[in-house]
Amino acid sequence: MRSFSLLTALVLGLSAFVRAKSSQGDDVLVILDPKLNRDDYSLFFGGLEKDGYSLTFRAPKDVKPKIIKDDVPSFSHVILFTPETKGYASDITPQSLIHLLSLSTNLLITSSPKQTLLTALSSEFSLIPAPPSSPLLSHFPARSDPPTLLPIPVPDPIDPKSEYADHPLAIPPICSPHTKAVWYEGTAWALGNNPLLFPILRAPKESFVSDASGDEGAEGVVDAAEKGGEGLWAGSSLAVAAGFQTREGARVVWVGGVEVFSDRLAAKEIAPGVPSGNTRFTRDIAAWAFQESLVLRISHISHHLASSPPLVGSNTTNLPTQYTTNDKLTYTAHISIYNPSSSTWTPHVSLPSPQMAFTMLDPHILTTLSHSPSHAGTYTTTFRAPDRHGVFKFVLDYRRKGWTWLKSEEKVAVVPPRHDGYPRFLSAAWPYYAGAVSTSVGFVLFVVVWLSGEGRETRKKAE
Amino acid sequence: MSTAYALPKDLSRATVVNTASLIRIVALSLISGAAIASRLFAVINFESIIHEFDPWFNYRATRVLASKGFYEFWNWFDPTAWYPLGRVVGGTIYPGLMATSGVIYNVLHYFNLPVDIRNICVLLAPGFSALTAWATYMFTKELKDESAGLLAAAFIGIVPGYISRSVAGSYDNEAIAIFLLMFTFYLWIKALKAGSAFFGTCAAVFYFYMVAAWGGYAFITNMIPVHAMVLILMGRYSSRLYVAYSSWYAVGTLSSMQVPFVGFQPVRTSEHMAALGVFGLLQIIAFAQLVRSHVSSKQFNNLLFYGVIVLGVGGVGAVVGLTYAGWIAPWTGRFYSLWDTGYAKKYIPIIASVSEHQPTAWPSFFMDLQLLVFLFPAGVVLCFKELRDEHVFVIIYAIVASYFAGVMVRLMLTLTPCVCVASAIALSTLMDTYIDPVQPEADEDETAQSDAGDSVSGSSATGSISGAAPKKAKKLAAAAVAAPPSANPLAELVGAATGGPRMKKGVWGFDTRFTVLLHTFGMLAFFVMHCTYVTSSAYSSPSVVLASTSPDGSPHIIDDFREAYYWLRQNTKEDAVVMSWWDYGYQIAGMADRPTLVDNNTWNNTHIATVGKAMSSSEEVAYPILRAHDVDYVLVIFGGLLGYSGDDINKFLWMIRIAQGVWPEEVQEANYFTPGGEYRVDERASKIMKESLMYKMSYYRFTELYGANPAQDRVRQQTIPKPSPTLDYLDEAFTSENWIVRIYQVKKEDHLGRDIKSANAFEGGKKRKRGRPAVGRRRAMQ
């Protein structure tokens, strides 16, 4: 319990701590639009550099450095601060950015109400972009700023131990708890139903998307709201920041505006005397995107007969390849979590209800792994193999939004008993045993009688 | 006493006997040599390679047996076959063939002869064909005499009907099964003749070997009871029959149950009930004989009358009752298809889809047997002339095997030995008649000279039947033919030359004899030529390697299969699952060493139908099936470029039919035809046909080969429409030199969770339509 809270504190850590590098590498390419001034974002970039990232800057039209060279990505992470850029060098296309993801490079992408190349790209991630040139507006709370600059409260992450932690609509604990509201300026997306996509920051309930600079066009929004459903670009179903994790584990963060990263909004007060949460929020989403937080891995998997202890130093190369039907099997997974403050992998002790399926076409056994208190980070279960031969897989498939997708498949053959593996004597077979014995005895008796009778006859004849 | 030609007079009987046996030995060795040599065409024309499909599995199993020992082989579970179901190999095969090779391998290695297991497998069939020739010799000797035996041995040695299943490299169960069949029959005849429990037990031992070697053992299981039954009905019941049958059945059945694959079938299935029934009947008859020797004839008749009624009704009732209760398995579908050739096509398409299960075409009888086709009936008729117990056997064998050979191409194999035996009897009778130098007495009735005419009708040059004394002639001829079968003809010949019994009719002069013998020799010479030609041209192709001729006449080897299988072996992960139609399962397992979904051991119809469904549906439907079965590669055979007609498009209808049998709602055969009911692949092909995975995989990028010219499919003689089909869920991974084998890799799910079609559209640079927030889908309010 104590170690858990310690871990949470480390994982979600306070931005005041000096963070260490990501679990994947620390070279970052920043593609910065020439119209944006690098110094306007010095708090954000400085924060990254202070935590050990080495940033390389490049304009969208520069030819060098290439993002992919010889099909090998040149950087571990790419930040696109190109919200309104129209033209790019030939090596940056929507296709190449998606290819970059398949090479497990992480992306932090900022967009804007303007329609650009990135708008087309966003729909590949099931983000549904708002109509062009329509920023997110809100008139609440009453303030002197224009309606396009709005404060958005950051939700507190749900405690992972609570019963809602596994709820599909729960927001993963990407942002630190008690983050102050952030100032936001930009567009918002509706989210498609892709399970890999989740909102990091939702738009406020009172906000809506409109292309009207003033309030003249508000009737259209009202009409849409009355019709309901389609065409309604309003309310908290929209997201201003969304996270996406590919099947291979590469992470993408989409933010609807670049200004949220700026020094100007970071310094702007959210309430009198209270600085905004922008600095902490942007650092948190960067930490998630760059594989610092919520990073899990399976250190190793082992399985063995429940009756025999596992081989010492067993690893995946010398695991048993076959079991017999109805054997008692023990399956163990060692799961670790990345600790960014010390750049180490530590056993993860609080994985909520991981499940293991013993599968051949369909799961034959589906069981929850329980954490063994004596070995931290070890999740184990013991079960009876089905009475069915074939090639089974131990499938551990743990998906939670925001967390690294844990997936492991171990093929193992379940074979029928050997020819001498069946029970030798069966009580049901007594009629057969009796038959065999009686026939043998009868034969012996017959031979004895026959031979003695024959002998007497010949003796008689001889006499 | 005159002879047609001069005979040496100063030979002692011992010399004649010794010379005759020496000649027999030499002749048998030459026949064995010829039998082996003619089967080596495959090795000479191609190479020492395992042929076709099933032999590849047998070869793979033999390697396991040779390397790991018998117990590991017995307990072998093959996780790579029928993925993911696996196959319990030890319990689902007839291990006789592998055990035989394993024994030979171990014996050779014990004597430090390091022979490769592959060569043993390749040469096993020719080796056993020499033994078959010997077994046939022994069998025929029991029916007639040694000379007929030698002829039969020579026939079986080179007849194409048997060579078709036993060329070098054709490492299949039939390779040793025909020897075991003939030898078991020989031992049965021998046991029956002598009433010997010893030979009966020997027959049982070889029956056990046969059970362990080939599923066709059911032929023996039913032939021997039918023979026994016919003998009983002919009133030929004897204690010899009782002893021979009882010893064969008891020992044979008990030992056959030791084969894991057979298990309790001998007492549980209908196919084995005839043997059990006859066994019971023999016990009853033996008991009745015992009773008859103790009670009066009147009482016995009454007893018999009621006894037969009670037992008959009781026996039939018991079998029906047990079948109904599920204790005896009813006849299997394979069995029904023997009586109704349309049955399999209707109910079990998987059996009908095998070409060797089709009814035999008439020309193939001539192709496989040639001269023997018309000698065979004559031999059977000659068997009727003597009609001892063993002749009854040959007659039954001839009738049963002829029927089955007509029903199924594959069963031509069981007919062939019988044809050889009967033909040898006929030909040997003809030769006996015409080589015999004894002339009939000149002063006798001249009409009598037509003796051989009616027994060897058609082949006699002198056959002018006058019909003046036909009855008498027949009787005499029968007497002449019915010489004691074990007697030595040469000894008789010498005896005749020095004053034997006087003949009243026969053949006159040397010229008639010479003409007939010359003609016979000519026929035999043609037979040899035919056999050699057919063997070398039709039956020696390994089918793994194809041969063709270049325009200039030089031979050209097409090696696409091995090229593709080795590509799989060297370029894919070791546990990459390959899906193909079941014909290629054993080859992929044997040559590419990769797991397969289905193979030639067609035990699970649903699994095969699953593959059929994947092949015959559109990509969107097939993809989840492929992913659920962990399929990494899909392999298709395409002959359209080269004109190789045995390709998957030609087998496609069977895939559809088999899939339709399991999913009649989703796959319908009629949808794959044009509205006019034609099976086409050109632009008139139906939409469903064009969208099927099989069509797309076969013709993917096919038209690109032809540039601007029309793309011609050379098997179906149709033009493939442009543009070629596109594939979204599969990537072309490999296409062999002549396009015969095409391998596709199954794409993984898109890493962004899109469906693969739209991911491909995106890669291709297509713009997506603008989306809208989902209708009616309410998200949680924060």
Side-chain angles (χ1 to χ4, degrees):
Chain A
M1 191 58 76
R2 219 187 58 201
S3 62
F4 166 72
S5 47
L6 186 71
L7 263 167
T8 333
L10 289 173
V11 172
L12 308 171
L14 297 164
S15 55
F17 285 136
V18 173
R19 292 184 194 249
K21 299 174 217 172
S22 99
S23 65
Q24 223 174 43
D26 55 352
D27 39 346
V28 182
L29 176 70
V30 183
I31 300 174
L32 189 68
D33 192 282
K35 280 183 238 159
L36 300 176
N37 189 351
R38 181 177 162 182
D39 294 335
D40 290 346
Y41 305 92
S42 63
L43 274 176
F44 177 65
F45 292 137
L48 289 179
E49 272 172 338
K50 195 178 76 189
D51 289 345
Y53 286 101
S54 65
L55 306 183
T56 311
F57 289 85
R58 174 194 155 176
K61 290 215 166 160
D62 287 356
V63 182
K64 277 189 171 178
K66 279 204 173 322
I67 54 170
I68 304 172
K69 204 175 173 192
D70 304 330
D71 210 33
V72 175
S74 316
F75 299 90
S76 306
H77 320 284
V78 175
I79 299 175
L80 277 111
F81 272 14
T82 55
E84 301 191 350
T85 311
K86 290 277 182 194
Y88 288 89
S90 64
D91 67 327
I92 301 176
T93 59
Q95 283 78 11
S96 75
L97 289 174
I98 282 180
H99 185 53
L100 205 59
L101 282 175
S102 68
L103 300 171
S104 53
T105 301
N106 308 299
L107 300 178
L108 175 58
I109 303 175
T110 54
S111 183
S112 73
K114 261 201 172 174
Q115 188 148 23
T116 64
L117 183 125
L118 296 177
T119 321
L121 180 66
S122 68
S123 55
E124 295 304 313
F125 294 85
S126 290
L127 291 166
I128 304 167
S133 311
S134 312
L136 186 70
L137 310 174
S138 176
H139 296 285
F140 300 92
R143 60 190 185 277
S144 57
D145 304 303
T148 51
L149 178 64
L150 59 159
I152 302 176
V154 178
D156 271 354
I158 297 174
D159 182 352
K161 279 182 297 178
S162 91
E163 58 182 309
Y164 302 110
D166 268 352
H167 192 276
L169 296 176
I171 287 190
I174 291 174
C175 305
S176 318
H178 316 306
T179 309
K180 299 285 178 302
V182 295
W183 286 105
Y184 178 79
E185 193 176 31
T187 185
W189 294 282
L191 302 184
N193 52 6
N194 190 331
L196 304 173
L197 177 75
F198 59 90
I200 294 176
L201 190 63
R202 293 183 186 283
K205 271 185 270 190
E206 309 85 2
S207 64
F208 57 97
V209 168
S210 172
D211 54 354
S213 50
D215 285 342
E216 302 88 58
E219 276 78 36
V221 179
V222 173
D223 285 350
E226 276 167 1
K227 275 185 229 153
E230 193 173 355
L232 177 65
W233 300 90
S236 65
S237 63
L238 301 181
V240 299
F244 189 100
Q245 185 164 251
T246 67
R247 284 171 190 277
E248 282 81 25
R251 291 172 174 183
V252 190
V253 169
W254 283 86
V255 182
V258 74
E259 279 309 293
V260 74
F261 296 90
S262 68
D263 297 355
R264 177 173 67 91
L265 293 185
K268 188 175 167 68
E269 287 179 343
I270 200 88
V274 183
S276 72
N278 283 33
T279 316
R280 193 196 267 188
F281 173 74
T282 51
R283 184 65 191 90
D284 281 337
I285 58 174
W288 182 80
F290 297 166
Q291 309 269 358
E292 284 179 48
S293 61
L294 311 191
V295 180
L296 302 174
R297 74 169 182 200
I298 300 173
S299 306
H300 84 262
I301 294 288
S302 72
H303 50 86
H304 57 88
L305 280 176
S307 52
S308 66
L311 300 165
V312 180
S314 67
N315 54 34
T316 43
T317 53
N318 59 9
L319 287 175
T321 54
Q322 77 177 37
Y323 294 107
T324 309
T325 51
N326 296 323
D327 273 352
K328 279 259 185 197
L329 308 182
T330 299
Y331 175 84
T332 311
H334 301 265
I335 294 168
S336 312
I337 186 165
Y338 183 69
N339 182 350
S341 61
S342 61
S343 305
T344 51
W345 292 92
T346 49
H348 189 44
V349 294
S350 59
L351 204 62
S353 61
Q355 290 191 320
M356 191 277 299
F358 198 52
T359 302
M360 182 177 70
L361 292 179
D362 301 309
H364 283 57
I365 308 271
L366 183 62
T367 175
T368 305
L369 298 172
S370 56
H371 186 247
S372 71
S374 53
H375 300 87
T378 300
Y379 297 82
T380 184
T381 186
T382 298
F383 62 95
R384 186 175 65 82
D387 190 10
R388 174 85 179 81
H389 59 74
V391 180
F392 281 84
K393 287 186 290 190
F394 293 100
V395 178
L396 175 66
D397 190 4
Y398 184 80
R399 314 181 196 186
R400 295 293 183 277
K401 282 184 175 170
W403 294 84
T404 314
W405 181 2
L406 298 177
K407 187 158 173 67
S408 147
E409 283 189 357
E410 286 284 321
K411 275 184 198 172
V412 75
V414 174
V415 306
R418 287 177 65 88
H419 66 282
D420 52 359
Y422 294 94
R424 193 37 75 92
F425 293 103
L426 305 172
S427 54
W430 270 110
Y432 299 95
Y433 301 147
V437 169
S438 66
T439 309
S440 310
V441 170
F443 179 72
V444 169
L445 286 179
F446 173 77
V447 168
V448 167
V449 169
W450 179 269
L451 288 180
S452 57
E454 192 92 327
R456 245 175 279 130
E457 267 174 36
T458 45
R459 236 178 289 130
K460 264 180 202 162
K461 271 181 192 165
E463 279 162 13
Chain B
M1 181 75 209
S2 62
T3 58
Y5 49 90
L7 289 172
K9 294 228 162 69
D10 51 350
L11 291 174
S12 75
R13 196 175 168 80
T15 316
V16 173
V17 170
N18 289 344
T19 316
S21 71
L22 176 69
I23 289 174
R24 272 203 303 278
I25 291 168
V26 170
L28 262 181
S29 349
L30 288 177
I31 287 168
S32 305
I36 294 172
S38 65
R39 282 163 173 80
L40 297 182
F41 274 117
V43 174
I44 294 163
N45 288 349
F46 295 94
E47 58 189 288
S48 175
I49 183 180
I50 305 290
H51 290 192
E52 299 202 308
F53 306 107
D54 287 17
W56 275 100
F57 170 75
N58 298 330
Y59 170 55
R60 185 159 154 254
T62 310
R63 271 198 319 210
V64 171
L65 175 66
S67 62
K68 292 192 182 159
F70 187 76
Y71 280 106
E72 285 310 308
F73 173 67
W74 188 0
N75 290 304
W76 182 26
F77 178 84
D78 186 359
T80 65
W82 293 88
Y83 183 88
L85 306 175
R87 178 181 176 190
V88 185
V89 179
T92 56
I93 52 162
Y94 295 103
L97 182 73
M98 299 91 188
T100 308
S101 312
V103 166
I104 295 172
Y105 176 80
N106 285 323
V107 166
L108 290 178
H109 280 242
Y110 179 77
F111 290 110
N112 295 319
L113 294 166
V115 181
D116 184 20
I117 188 80
R118 178 174 54 95
N119 286 323
I120 291 172
C121 294
V122 166
L123 296 176
L124 191 76
F128 265 85
S129 72
L131 288 175
T132 310
W134 173 70
T136 311
Y137 165 76
M138 300 296 277
F139 182 80
T140 318
K141 202 177 80 173
E142 294 298 320
L143 288 167
K144 189 166 176 287
D145 53 18
E146 284 91 342
S147 54
L150 284 177
L151 270 174
F155 286 155
I156 194 90
I158 58 170
V159 70
Y162 177 37
I163 285 190
S164 65
R165 295 318 206 89
S166 65
V167 291
S170 176
Y171 181 56
D172 213 345
N173 293 331
E174 289 92 333
I176 66 172
I178 296 303
F179 161 66
L180 297 171
L181 183 82
M182 284 318 284
F183 204 67
T184 311
F185 283 159
Y186 160 70
L187 290 169
W188 161 248
I189 295 294
K190 194 88 179 156
L192 183 63
K193 263 187 169 176
S196 155
F198 172 72
F199 276 106
T201 312
C202 286
V205 169
F206 273 86
Y207 171 69
F208 164 63
Y209 192 0
M210 175 77 178
V211 173
W214 192 36
Y217 75 87
F219 186 63
I220 302 184
T221 317
N222 288 302
M223 260 309 291
I224 291 180
V226 167
H227 183 212
M229 191 67 210
V230 168
L231 288 181
I232 293 168
L233 292 179
M234 288 169 79
R236 292 195 182 189
Y237 171 80
S238 64
S239 59
R240 289 181 291 113
L241 177 65
Y242 179 79
V243 169
Y245 189 86
S246 299
S247 54
W248 168 76
Y249 181 76
V251 178
T253 304
L254 281 178
S255 51
S256 70
M257 287 163 76
Q258 307 309 310
V259 178
F261 193 24
V262 176
F264 277 92
Q265 279 182 37
V267 290
R268 295 287 300 268
T269 60
S270 300
E271 282 91 332
H272 298 78
M273 282 302 124
L276 183 62
V278 171
F279 180 65
L281 192 65
L282 274 175
Q283 309 308 317
I284 293 165
I285 291 172
F287 183 68
Q289 297 278 7
L290 185 73
V291 172
R292 182 153 76 171
S293 62
H294 285 81
V295 300
S296 74
S297 138
K298 177 81 176 65
Q299 284 169 314
F300 180 75
N301 281 342
N302 287 337
L303 210 61
L304 189 70
F305 182 70
Y306 294 114
V308 163
I309 287 176
V310 168
L311 284 169
V313 171
V316 171
V319 169
V320 170
L322 285 172
T323 309
Y324 192 71
W327 285 91
I328 299 176
W331 305 104
T332 58
R334 254 171 232 261
F335 184 81
Y336 282 125
S337 64
L338 284 179
W339 307 110
D340 175 7
T341 47
Y343 180 88
K345 201 176 168 187
K346 261 181 276 169
Y347 300 106
I348 24 178
I350 194 145
I351 290 179
S353 74
V354 181
S355 64
E356 59 184 24
H357 290 162
Q358 304 297 330
T360 316
W362 289 112
S364 78
F365 276 101
F366 185 77
M367 165 123 158
D368 279 357
L369 302 169
Q370 214 241 3
L371 154 73
L372 308 183
V373 171
F374 52 83
L375 284 180
F376 170 50
V380 176
V381 169
L382 283 176
C383 285
F384 270 108
K385 285 200 128 182
E386 270 190 81
L387 213 61
R388 291 198 306 275
D389 292 352
E390 56 267 33
H391 293 106
V392 175
F393 183 80
V394 172
I395 291 162
I396 298 168
Y397 186 177
I399 293 167
V400 173
S402 303
Y403 174 75
F404 287 146
V407 171
M408 229 186 239
V409 179
R410 186 183 181 177
L411 294 178
M412 189 68 131
L413 188 65
T414 50
L415 173 67
T416 306
C418 176
V419 168
C420 291
V421 169
S423 310
I425 292 172
L427 198 69
S428 141
T429 308
L430 175 78
M431 306 239 286
D432 282 353
T433 312
Y434 283 90
I435 291 178
D436 186 2
V438 180
Q439 302 242 47
E441 305 227 327
D443 53 356
E444 286 295 323
D445 185 2
E446 283 185 15
T447 58
Q449 63 177 281
S450 59
D451 70 337
D454 50 5
S455 59
V456 200
S457 53
S459 56
S460 168
T462 59
S464 56
I465 303 166
S466 65
K471 224 172 188 179
K472 205 177 166 193
K474 222 171 202 171
K475 213 185 242 169
L476 277 167
V481 171
S486 57
N488 189 319
L490 240 193
E492 254 178 68
L493 189 151
V494 175
T498 50
R502 302 204 157 185
M503 303 279 291
K504 291 206 168 158
K505 43 185 157 167
V507 186
W508 290 90
F510 181 70
D511 48 354
T512 45
R513 287 179 163 83
F514 182 74
T515 317
V516 171
L517 290 176
L518 190 69
H519 176 244
T520 310
F521 178 78
M523 287 203 307
L524 290 177
F526 272 117
F527 178 64
V528 171
M529 278 172 61
H530 172 84
C531 290
T532 314
Y533 167 72
V534 169
T535 305
S536 68
S537 64
Y539 289 142
S540 290
S541 167
S543 88
V544 176
V545 184
L546 308 170
S548 71
T549 358
S550 318
D552 62 353
S554 59
H556 179 66
I557 297 288
I558 295 163
D559 211 354
D560 280 38
F561 288 99
R562 286 196 292 181
E563 183 193 350
Y565 293 144
Y566 287 139
W567 181 88
L568 274 177
R569 195 187 190 109
Q570 290 169 351
N571 294 284
T572 63
K573 272 197 305 173
E574 226 163 272
D575 58 350
V577 179
V578 181
M579 183 177 96
S580 68
W581 190 233
W582 61 263
D583 298 23
Y584 313 102
Y586 279 164
Q587 289 186 349
I588 294 170
M591 283 189 261
D593 195 23
R594 291 291 175 269
T596 53
L597 245 55
V598 290
D599 62 32
N600 310 46
N601 173 258
T602 51
W603 65 275
N604 189 328
N605 187 43
T606 313
H607 216 51
I608 292 181
T610 306
V611 173
K613 186 185 170 192
M615 294 287 197
S616 51
S617 345
S618 64
E619 275 187 276
E620 290 79 16
V621 178
Y623 186 68
I625 302 175
L626 300 181
R627 293 298 295 161
H629 290 80
D630 296 338
V631 175
D632 296 296
Y633 295 91
V634 185
L635 181 147
V636 289
I637 306 295
F638 173 65
L641 183 67
L642 202 70
Y644 173 66
S645 62
D647 69 353
D648 278 347
I649 289 281
N650 276 2
K651 292 173 184 172
F652 191 33
L653 280 180
W654 288 111
M655 301 181 204
I656 296 163
R657 275 173 207 154
I658 291 169
Q660 186 179 5
V662 178
W663 290 281
E665 307 288 310
E666 293 164 63
V667 184
Q668 270 125 25
E669 192 183 342
N671 294 341
Y672 294 83
F673 290 98
T674 59
E678 284 173 287
Y679 181 64
R680 298 194 74 89
V681 294
D682 56 10
E683 74 277 351
R684 283 163 56 202
S686 73
K687 186 161 172 286
I688 290 186
M689 174 77 185
K690 279 184 181 166
E691 277 177 2
S692 66
L693 196 63
M694 174 55 72
Y695 181 91
K696 283 186 165 187
M697 286 194 293
S698 291
Y699 294 109
Y700 182 63
R701 297 180 59 208
F702 182 64
T703 52
E704 288 174 28
L705 266 188
Y706 290 81
N709 302 321
Q712 184 77 4
D713 181 321
R714 289 194 191 144
V715 175
R716 288 152 285 268
Q717 308 299 341
Q718 293 170 21
T719 307
I720 306 305
K722 282 179 191 180
S724 289
T726 53
L727 284 167
D728 276 317
Y729 293 83
L730 301 169
D731 270 330
E732 185 181 8
F734 178 81
T735 294
S736 63
E737 188 189 348
N738 299 298
W739 285 51
I740 289 184
V741 186
R742 309 198 68 183
I743 300 171
Y744 291 87
Q745 185 167 23
V746 181
K747 281 189 188 163
K748 297 275 178 291
E749 276 93 358
D750 181 57
H751 64 291
L752 296 187
R754 303 166 290 182
D755 69 298
I756 293 183
K757 215 166 191 172
S758 54
N760 284 347
F762 171 73
E763 281 299 313
K766 270 193 196 142
K767 279 251 165 76
R768 191 189 276 265
K769 266 198 197 158
R770 279 192 81 87
R772 296 224 146 229
V775 181
R777 187 185 156 88
R778 303 195 63 83
R779 294 187 166 267
M781 302 284 167
Q782 291 284 323

